[in-house]
Amino acid sequence: MLSRALVTVLSALFLLIAAPQGIEAASAVIDKSSLGQGIITVNYPDNKDAKAIVRIAKGSVKYDYALVKGGRYPLQLGNGSYSVLIAEAAEGSKYKVIAQESLDLKLDNENAVFLQSIPMIDWKPESKPVVEAKALTAGGGSDKDKVAAIYAYITKHFTYDYEKASGVDAGYLPQLDEIYDASKGICYDFAATFAAMARSVDIPTRLVMGYANEAPDTYHAWNQVFLKESGEWITIDTTYDAVRLQNGQETPLVKDAKDYTVSKIY
């Protein structure tokens, strides 16, 4: 459940981008050193005050990101040819393309990208939910056992923050330690926290945005998790399930993917 302003930023950052004429050389550098993990980074000059945006495209599918210092951006659309460009805010609401490059992704394991830290799932070994995930899964078990332990923790301890949902700023990114300390958040926070915890214990996990059938007019965030034992992606929704379980209702861990409409996968 995401605010209208945040949905606009996540879905349409590049609607008014200027044509790529006279691209400046070396204004931004696309770092491909982590390409083997399905990730690029952008070295944007520190002395630049202008707002900048990253666009990653494969075929007709495009993902737009606000550029953050040190941000790692995923190539999550599988192996193949990508185009990457960086655009800087120009006059009015237009953007000027300052760097662009074509990339060819060839991963042995295409799910590797869903183990990485990215701006909306910004985790480190010392992040509080990551430390918690290590403790929750210390006893080992299957990937599904680990997913169940993380799911149980979030749905038991996290509550939905209706006040925050009514006023999330455009460009909002989840801050995992703050969310963990508050033990509450919006669906974006639930899904980002779950993804960080699962990725940190080597379980490929997607943060998914779109719509659930039970609230078809509300933009929502949830997760898809890859279970190596069965070779399948399963659907997990900690936000709606936290509300159900905390109200004493029963609900299955794994949801039916047909009950969700996917718009974006991170």
Side-chain angles (χ1 to χ4, degrees):
M1 294 168 277
L2 301 174
S3 74
R4 185 175 297 275
L6 183 56
V7 171
T8 300
V9 170
L10 291 169
S11 303
L13 282 172
F14 260 87
L15 288 177
L16 296 172
I17 190 166
Q21 298 176 352
I23 296 174
E24 300 174 12
S27 291
V29 177
I30 299 169
D31 182 348
K32 302 183 290 294
S33 60
S34 297
L35 201 58
Q37 300 170 332
I39 294 289
I40 62 163
T41 57
V42 177
N43 298 320
Y44 193 65
D46 290 338
N47 61 351
K48 289 280 190 179
D49 294 326
K51 176 182 176 182
I53 301 176
V54 180
R55 164 169 280 186
I56 297 174
K58 182 173 184 280
S60 61
V61 181
K62 300 177 178 64
Y63 278 76
D64 299 325
Y65 304 90
L67 195 151
V68 297
K69 186 176 181 180
R72 292 157 48 88
Y73 299 93
L75 307 179
Q76 71 269 49
L77 300 172
N79 286 337
S81 298
Y82 287 77
S83 64
V84 180
L85 64 80
I86 293 87
E88 190 176 275
E91 72 281 355
S93 56
K94 294 185 178 181
Y95 283 80
K96 176 180 64 176
V97 177
I98 58 173
Q100 63 182 1
E101 187 168 348
S102 295
L103 304 174
D104 191 23
L105 185 66
K106 297 179 180 178
L107 296 177
D108 292 334
N109 178 8
E110 292 181 279
N111 290 335
V113 66
F114 299 112
L115 294 171
Q116 308 306 318
S117 175
I118 60 176
M120 58 277 295
I121 312 169
D122 185 15
W123 67 272
K124 305 174 182 63
E126 64 271 20
S127 300
K128 293 179 181 180
V130 168
V131 173
E132 184 71 51
K134 297 292 186 184
L136 291 170
T137 61
S142 68
D143 282 353
K144 192 168 184 179
D145 292 335
K146 295 175 183 179
V147 166
I150 294 168
Y151 167 92
Y153 179 86
I154 292 177
T155 55
K156 179 179 179 180
H157 292 91
F158 282 40
T159 58
Y160 190 77
D161 192 336
Y162 293 93
E163 181 179 358
K164 182 176 182 179
S166 67
V168 180
D169 293 334
Y172 171 77
L173 291 172
Q175 302 300 311
L176 296 179
D177 282 357
E178 293 178 11
I179 296 163
Y180 180 87
D181 286 340
S183 294
K184 62 180 180 180
I186 60 174
C187 59
Y188 192 6
D189 299 326
F190 276 71
T193 301
F194 180 90
M197 295 175 76
R199 289 182 180 197
S200 73
V201 294
D202 200 35
I203 300 174
T205 303
R206 297 166 172 163
L207 190 161
V208 189
M209 294 183 178
Y211 299 88
N213 286 355
E214 65 183 277
D217 297 324
T218 303
Y219 204 60
H220 185 47
W222 66 96
N223 297 102
Q224 294 173 346
V225 179
F226 185 75
L227 301 179
K228 292 187 286 291
E229 296 91 347
S230 60
E232 63 178 335
W233 286 95
I234 61 172
T235 298
I236 304 288
D237 192 335
T238 52
T239 307
Y240 285 139
D241 283 3
V243 175
R244 294 188 186 99
L245 292 168
Q246 290 165 22
N247 286 328
Q249 302 173 34
E250 294 185 1
T251 187
L253 167 71
V254 180
K255 305 304 178 190
D256 189 337
K258 295 193 296 293
D259 290 334
Y260 294 81
T261 300
V262 175
S263 297
K264 296 287 185 180
I265 291 176
Y266 298 94

